[in-house]
Amino acid sequence: MSTTIVHLVRHGEVHNPEKILYGRIPGYHLSSRGHSQAARTAQSFRGHDVVYLAASPLQRAQETAQPISAATKLNVEVEPRLIESGNRFEGLRTKGWRSQLWNPVRWPLMTNPLQPSWGEPYVDIAKRMLDAVDNARAEAEGHEAILVSHQLPIVTVQRYVRGKRLAHAPWDRQCDLASVTSLVFRDGEISDMHYAEPAHEI
């Protein structure tokens, strides 16, 4: 029986003093804390049998992948399917009493939270992420692979594997900064899933 593990790593903390929803906007990089988180998570992979490493094209994911690259001595493949979910609220402040979502002009985008109507459909996120995971599994058959991505895409995979509906509330997520969600494949089928937070003390 062949066992392959695909690890989904969320990027570290992002430098975002304006606290906006940055989504796919280019140029958002890790904070100093985020770099420390990435380094700690990278150390957790030392001694692992990792033979494939890929990351979302966004800067924060690429920066998170760099210490993992150093720890595993692997080049980072750019995998577009691991990118952050699309969101039509990008560039806006979306949290707290100063949230720009209170403006009625944006309410028509909130008609269907189960899709969601303001962004990339959950089913589309699941499809591209699972395609990327399957590619990584094939590349690392019998070994381990690491994919660096973003919170919602990783949570979508988690929920798919657990048989939960993909639509959910943002506070109902287990995917902390620089966390690791590990998918265990046996003979090509997912048999188990584990979650860890190597950088939780940072």
Side-chain angles (χ1 to χ4, degrees):
M1 180 178 290
S2 174
T3 300
T4 307
I5 303 175
V6 178
H7 305 281
L8 301 176
V9 175
R10 183 187 173 192
H11 63 77
E13 182 185 78
V14 175
H15 179 69
N16 182 22
E18 297 176 349
K19 299 188 183 304
I20 69 167
L21 180 66
Y22 40 78
R24 295 179 177 178
I25 298 173
Y28 277 86
H29 58 86
L30 295 184
S31 65
S32 58
R33 177 174 178 244
H35 281 289
S36 296
Q37 291 170 331
R40 178 67 62 83
T41 295
Q43 288 301 314
S44 73
F45 288 113
R46 287 197 179 276
H48 281 241
D49 185 23
V50 181
V51 299
Y52 181 76
L53 171 61
S56 156
L58 294 176
Q59 183 174 347
R60 57 191 182 273
Q62 289 292 315
E63 290 179 351
T64 300
Q66 286 309 307
I68 300 175
S69 173
T72 60
K73 297 180 172 54
L74 293 170
N75 292 327
V76 182
E77 302 291 334
V78 177
E79 173 53 88
R81 291 173 292 191
L82 298 174
I83 199 168
E84 178 64 283
S85 56
N87 194 310
R88 294 175 68 182
F89 295 138
E90 284 180 2
L92 301 179
R93 182 186 291 270
T94 60
K95 295 181 179 179
W97 66 273
R98 295 178 61 194
S99 170
Q100 292 170 282
L101 299 185
W102 293 113
N103 189 332
V105 73
R106 298 189 173 91
W107 293 355
L109 291 176
M110 304 180 201
T111 55
N112 185 3
L114 300 180
Q115 184 180 29
S117 51
W118 57 82
E120 184 181 7
Y122 293 117
V123 292
D124 292 352
I125 299 171
K127 183 181 185 308
R128 65 175 170 82
M129 285 293 293
L130 291 167
D131 285 348
V133 167
D134 191 57
N135 177 74
R137 179 201 57 77
E139 291 282 349
E141 185 67 40
H143 305 277
E144 299 177 51
I146 300 173
L147 303 178
V148 183
S149 188
H150 308 267
Q151 186 185 53
L152 180 53
I154 294 173
V155 168
T156 302
V157 173
Q158 292 174 343
R159 298 183 71 86
Y160 177 88
V161 171
R162 290 173 176 147
K164 294 184 176 182
R165 71 176 187 175
L166 301 182
H168 63 282
W171 52 85
D172 187 24
R173 295 175 179 173
Q174 186 183 45
C175 189
D176 205 0
L177 293 165
S179 61
V180 183
T181 297
S182 302
L183 306 176
V184 181
F185 290 83
R186 290 192 171 84
D187 290 339
E189 300 294 328
I190 297 177
S191 63
D192 207 351
M193 180 170 65
H194 306 287
Y195 175 79
E197 298 178 359
H200 74 280
E201 295 180 351
I202 297 177

